[in-house]
Coordinates of all heavy atoms in Angstrom, one line a residue:
D181 N -7.7 -15.2 -7.2 CA -8.5 -16.4 -7.0 C -8.8 -16.6 -5.5 O -9.7 -17.4 -5.1 CB -7.9 -17.6 -7.6 CG -6.5 -17.9 -7.0 OD1 -5.9 -17.0 -6.4 OD2 -6.0 -19.0 -7.2
R182 N -8.0 -16.0 -4.6 CA -8.3 -16.1 -3.2 C -9.0 -14.9 -2.6 O -9.2 -14.9 -1.4 CB -6.9 -16.3 -2.4 CG -6.1 -17.5 -2.9 CD -5.0 -17.8 -2.0 NE -4.0 -16.7 -2.0 CZ -3.0 -16.6 -3.0 NH1 -3.0 -17.4 -4.0 NH2 -2.2 -15.6 -2.9
F183 N -9.4 -14.0 -3.4 CA -10.1 -12.8 -3.0 C -11.6 -13.3 -2.7 O -12.3 -13.7 -3.6 CB -10.1 -11.7 -4.0 CG -11.0 -10.5 -3.7 CD1 -10.8 -9.8 -2.5 CD2 -12.0 -10.1 -4.5 CE1 -11.6 -8.7 -2.2 CE2 -12.8 -9.0 -4.2 CZ -12.6 -8.3 -3.1
E184 N -12.0 -13.2 -1.5 CA -13.3 -13.7 -1.0 C -14.4 -12.7 -0.9 O -15.5 -13.0 -0.6 CB -13.1 -14.4 0.3 CG -12.1 -15.6 0.2 CD -11.9 -16.2 1.6 OE1 -12.3 -15.7 2.6 OE2 -11.3 -17.3 1.7
G185 N -14.1 -11.4 -1.3 CA -15.1 -10.4 -1.3 C -15.5 -10.0 0.1 O -16.6 -9.4 0.3
R186 N -14.7 -10.3 1.2 CA -15.1 -9.8 2.5 C -15.0 -8.3 2.6 O -15.6 -7.7 3.5 CB -14.2 -10.5 3.5 CG -14.4 -12.0 3.6 CD -13.4 -12.6 4.6 NE -13.6 -14.0 4.7 CZ -12.8 -14.8 5.4 NH1 -11.8 -14.3 6.1 NH2 -13.0 -16.1 5.5
S187 N -14.1 -7.7 1.8 CA -14.1 -6.2 1.7 C -14.4 -5.9 0.2 O -14.4 -6.8 -0.7 CB -12.7 -5.7 2.1 OG -11.7 -6.2 1.2
S188 N -14.5 -4.6 -0.1 CA -14.7 -4.2 -1.5 C -13.4 -4.3 -2.2 O -12.3 -4.4 -1.7 CB -15.2 -2.7 -1.5 OG -14.2 -1.9 -1.1
M189 N -13.5 -4.4 -3.6 CA -12.3 -4.4 -4.4 C -11.4 -3.2 -4.1 O -10.2 -3.3 -4.0 CB -12.7 -4.4 -5.9 CG -11.5 -4.3 -6.9 SD -10.4 -5.7 -6.8 CE -11.3 -7.0 -7.7
R190 N -12.1 -2.0 -3.9 CA -11.3 -0.8 -3.7 C -10.5 -0.9 -2.4 O -9.3 -0.6 -2.3 CB -12.3 0.4 -3.6 CG -11.7 1.7 -3.3 CD -12.7 2.8 -3.4 NE -12.1 4.2 -3.2 CZ -12.4 4.9 -2.2 NH1 -13.2 4.5 -1.3 NH2 -11.8 6.1 -2.1
T191 N -11.1 -1.4 -1.3 CA -10.4 -1.5 0.0 C -9.3 -2.5 -0.2 O -8.2 -2.3 0.4 CB -11.4 -2.0 1.0 OG1 -12.5 -1.0 1.2 CG2 -10.7 -2.2 2.4
W192 N -9.6 -3.6 -0.8 CA -8.5 -4.7 -1.0 C -7.3 -4.1 -1.7 O -6.2 -4.3 -1.3 CB -9.2 -5.9 -1.7 CG -8.3 -7.1 -1.9 CD1 -7.7 -7.8 -0.9 CD2 -7.9 -7.7 -3.1 NE1 -6.9 -8.8 -1.4 CE2 -7.1 -8.8 -2.8 CE3 -8.3 -7.5 -4.4 CZ2 -6.6 -9.6 -3.7 CZ3 -7.7 -8.3 -5.4 CH2 -6.9 -9.4 -5.0
L193 N -7.5 -3.4 -2.8 CA -6.4 -2.9 -3.6 C -5.7 -1.8 -2.8 O -4.4 -1.8 -2.8 CB -7.0 -2.3 -4.9 CG -7.5 -3.2 -6.0 CD1 -8.1 -2.5 -7.1 CD2 -6.3 -4.1 -6.5
H194 N -6.4 -1.0 -2.1 CA -5.7 0.0 -1.3 C -4.9 -0.6 -0.1 O -3.8 -0.1 0.3 CB -6.7 1.1 -0.7 CG -7.0 2.2 -1.7 ND1 -7.9 2.0 -2.7 CD2 -6.4 3.4 -1.9 CE1 -7.9 3.1 -3.4 NE2 -7.1 4.0 -3.0
K195 N -5.4 -1.7 0.4 CA -4.6 -2.4 1.5 C -3.3 -2.9 0.9 O -2.2 -2.8 1.5 CB -5.4 -3.5 2.1 CG -4.7 -4.3 3.1 CD -5.6 -5.3 3.8 CE -4.8 -6.0 4.9 NZ -5.7 -7.0 5.7
I196 N -3.4 -3.5 -0.3 CA -2.2 -4.1 -0.9 C -1.2 -2.9 -1.2 O 0.0 -3.0 -1.0 CB -2.5 -4.8 -2.2 CG1 -3.4 -6.1 -1.9 CG2 -1.3 -5.2 -3.0 CD1 -3.9 -6.8 -3.1
A197 N -1.7 -1.8 -1.8 CA -0.9 -0.7 -2.2 C -0.3 0.0 -0.9 O 0.9 0.3 -1.0 CB -1.7 0.3 -2.9
T198 N -1.0 0.1 0.1 CA -0.5 0.8 1.3 C 0.6 0.0 1.9 O 1.7 0.5 2.3 CB -1.6 1.0 2.3 OG1 -2.7 1.8 1.8 CG2 -1.1 1.7 3.6
N199 N 0.4 -1.3 2.0 CA 1.5 -2.2 2.6 C 2.7 -2.3 1.7 O 3.8 -2.4 2.2 CB 0.9 -3.6 2.9 CG 0.0 -3.6 4.1 OD1 0.5 -3.5 5.2 ND2 -1.3 -3.7 4.0
A200 N 2.5 -2.2 0.4 CA 3.6 -2.2 -0.6 C 4.4 -0.9 -0.3 O 5.7 -0.9 -0.3 CB 3.1 -2.3 -2.0
C201 N 3.7 0.2 -0.1 CA 4.4 1.5 0.1 C 5.1 1.5 1.5 O 6.3 1.9 1.6 CB 3.4 2.6 0.1 SG 2.7 3.1 -1.5
L202 N 4.5 0.9 2.5 CA 5.1 0.8 3.8 C 6.4 0.0 3.7 O 7.4 0.3 4.3 CB 4.2 0.2 4.8 CG 3.0 1.2 5.2 CD1 2.0 0.4 6.1 CD2 3.5 2.4 5.9
N203 N 6.3 -1.1 3.0 CA 7.5 -2.0 2.8 C 8.6 -1.2 2.1 O 9.8 -1.3 2.5 CB 7.2 -3.2 2.0 CG 6.3 -4.2 2.8 OD1 6.3 -4.1 4.1 ND2 5.6 -5.0 2.2
A204 N 8.2 -0.5 1.1 CA 9.2 0.3 0.3 C 9.9 1.4 1.2 O 11.1 1.7 1.0 CB 8.6 0.9 -0.9
L205 N 9.1 2.0 2.0 CA 9.6 3.1 2.9 C 10.6 2.6 4.0 O 11.3 3.4 4.6 CB 8.5 3.9 3.5 CG 7.7 4.7 2.5 CD1 6.4 5.2 3.1 CD2 8.5 5.9 2.0
E206 N 10.6 1.3 4.2 CA 11.5 0.8 5.2 C 13.0 1.0 4.9 O 13.8 1.2 5.7 CB 11.3 -0.7 5.4 CG 10.0 -1.0 6.2 CD 9.8 -2.5 6.3 OE1 10.6 -3.3 5.9 OE2 8.7 -2.9 6.9
S207 N 13.2 1.1 3.6 CA 14.6 1.2 3.1 C 14.9 2.6 2.4 O 15.9 2.7 1.7 CB 15.0 0.1 2.1 OG 14.1 0.1 1.0
R208 N 13.9 3.5 2.5 CA 14.1 4.8 1.9 C 13.9 5.9 2.9 O 13.1 5.9 3.8 CB 13.0 5.0 0.8 CG 13.1 3.8 -0.3 CD 12.0 4.1 -1.4 NE 11.8 2.8 -2.1 CZ 11.0 2.7 -3.1 NH1 10.4 3.8 -3.6 NH2 10.8 1.6 -3.8
S209 N 14.7 7.0 2.7 CA 14.5 8.2 3.5 C 13.4 9.0 2.9 O 13.0 8.8 1.8 CB 15.9 8.9 3.6 OG 16.3 9.3 2.3
R210 N 13.0 10.0 3.7 CA 11.9 10.9 3.2 C 12.5 11.7 2.1 O 13.6 12.0 2.0 CB 11.4 11.8 4.3 CG 12.4 12.8 4.8 CD 11.7 13.7 5.9 NE 12.7 14.7 6.4 CZ 12.8 15.9 5.9 NH1 12.1 16.2 4.8 NH2 13.7 16.7 6.4
R211 N 11.6 12.2 1.2 CA 11.9 13.0 0.0 C 11.7 14.5 0.4 O 10.5 14.9 0.6 CB 11.1 12.6 -1.2 CG 11.5 11.3 -1.8 CD 10.7 11.0 -3.0 NE 11.2 9.9 -3.8 CZ 12.1 9.9 -4.8 NH1 12.5 11.1 -5.2 NH2 12.5 8.8 -5.4
P212 N 12.7 15.3 0.5 CA 12.6 16.7 0.9 C 12.5 17.6 -0.3 O 12.8 17.2 -1.4 CB 13.8 16.9 1.8 CG 14.9 16.1 1.0 CD 14.2 14.9 0.5
L213 N 12.2 18.9 0.0 CA 12.5 20.0 -0.9 C 13.6 20.8 -0.2 O 13.8 20.7 1.0 CB 11.3 20.8 -1.1 CG 10.2 20.2 -2.0 CD1 8.9 21.1 -1.9 CD2 10.7 20.1 -3.4
P214 N 14.3 21.6 -0.9 CA 15.4 22.3 -0.3 C 15.1 23.1 1.0 O 15.8 23.1 1.9 CB 15.9 23.3 -1.4 CG 15.6 22.5 -2.7 CD 14.3 21.8 -2.4
I215 N 13.9 23.7 0.9 CA 13.4 24.5 2.1 C 13.2 23.6 3.3 O 13.3 24.1 4.5 CB 12.2 25.3 1.8 CG1 11.9 26.4 2.9 CG2 11.0 24.4 1.6 CD1 10.8 27.4 2.6

């Protein structure tokens, strides 16, 4: 209800998703493969 359409829906959703991932990665180490 506060989305004002200043960006596209796609950009808005990716901004939310990217910041959610960045927040999650603050407390997680990288995921390796054995090599």
Side-chain angles (χ1 to χ4, degrees):
D181 59 342
R182 300 190 298 277
F183 175 56
E184 299 175 350
R186 294 178 181 174
S187 64
S188 68
M189 173 66 74
R190 180 173 181 248
T191 300
W192 184 56
L193 289 172
H194 276 82
K195 179 175 183 177
I196 296 172
T198 302
N199 284 289
C201 289
L202 290 173
N203 290 337
L205 288 168
E206 289 179 359
S207 58
R208 304 180 197 183
S209 58
R210 69 178 179 88
R211 286 181 173 267
L213 287 171
I215 194 174

